[in-house]
Amino acid sequence: MNNITLWWVLTGGLVALELVTGTFYLLMLGLGTTAAALVAMAGHDLNMQLVSAAVIGGLGAVLLGQWRKRQTTTPQESQDQHLDLGATVQVEVWNAQGTAQVKHRGAVWTAVLAPGQAATPGIFRIQTMAGNRLVLEHL
């Protein structure tokens, strides 16, 4: 099997794996192997093919990582956009573990106290979210 065929088979394998994983990093490596196949088709030697695959694939992966870093939101930004923050809930009783079951938007949620709050029944405001728990503060 010649180099051109080998590069195209490797490209197809990477794209197929990418379809399974969905990370896009394998797609960047697939772009690198595509570049190597094109270099092989142009008649260059194996060293030039390997360099083009490494440079294009590596650069694509690095640029994708930087782009993803810029696209992700910080936990504070995602909480600022949460529609439940500031809503009020009624706590009937706190259990021994410092949690309570509260009804909010038609569902039962587990609630915990914000630091410095007393575990007494009453009306509380949702201060933040900790995973799937509501962090409450007294009104």
Side-chain angles (χ1 to χ4, degrees):
M1 185 172 355
N2 64 10
N3 286 350
I4 299 170
T5 306
L6 182 65
W7 286 117
W8 286 119
V9 168
L10 191 56
T11 299
L14 285 170
V15 170
L17 280 173
E18 174 57 43
L19 291 173
V20 173
T21 63
T23 63
F24 287 103
Y25 288 102
L26 291 175
L27 192 60
M28 297 300 111
L29 297 179
L31 287 175
T33 57
T34 301
L38 295 174
V39 169
M41 290 173 69
H44 294 283
D45 65 343
L46 182 61
N47 287 337
M48 186 62 124
Q49 296 167 30
L50 291 171
V51 167
S52 66
V55 168
I56 299 297
L59 185 64
V62 167
L63 291 176
L64 177 65
Q66 290 177 350
W67 178 77
R68 281 194 171 180
K69 247 185 242 181
R70 286 192 308 260
Q71 298 301 317
T72 58
T73 59
T74 63
Q76 185 60 43
E77 288 173 349
S78 64
Q79 287 193 358
D80 289 343
Q81 297 172 2
H82 204 290
L83 299 177
D84 292 327
L85 300 184
T88 57
V89 293
Q90 174 72 36
V91 175
E92 301 295 329
V93 64
W94 291 95
N95 64 27
Q97 291 82 22
T99 63
Q101 299 297 313
V102 296
K103 192 161 188 161
H104 176 61
R105 291 190 298 134
V108 177
W109 291 71
T110 299
V112 296
L113 279 170
Q117 300 289 316
T120 58
I123 299 176
F124 288 79
R125 178 183 13 247
I126 301 172
Q127 181 187 62
T128 187
M129 301 283 291
N132 62 350
R133 292 179 171 216
L134 303 175
V135 180
L136 305 179
E137 63 183 357
H138 273 287
L139 277 179

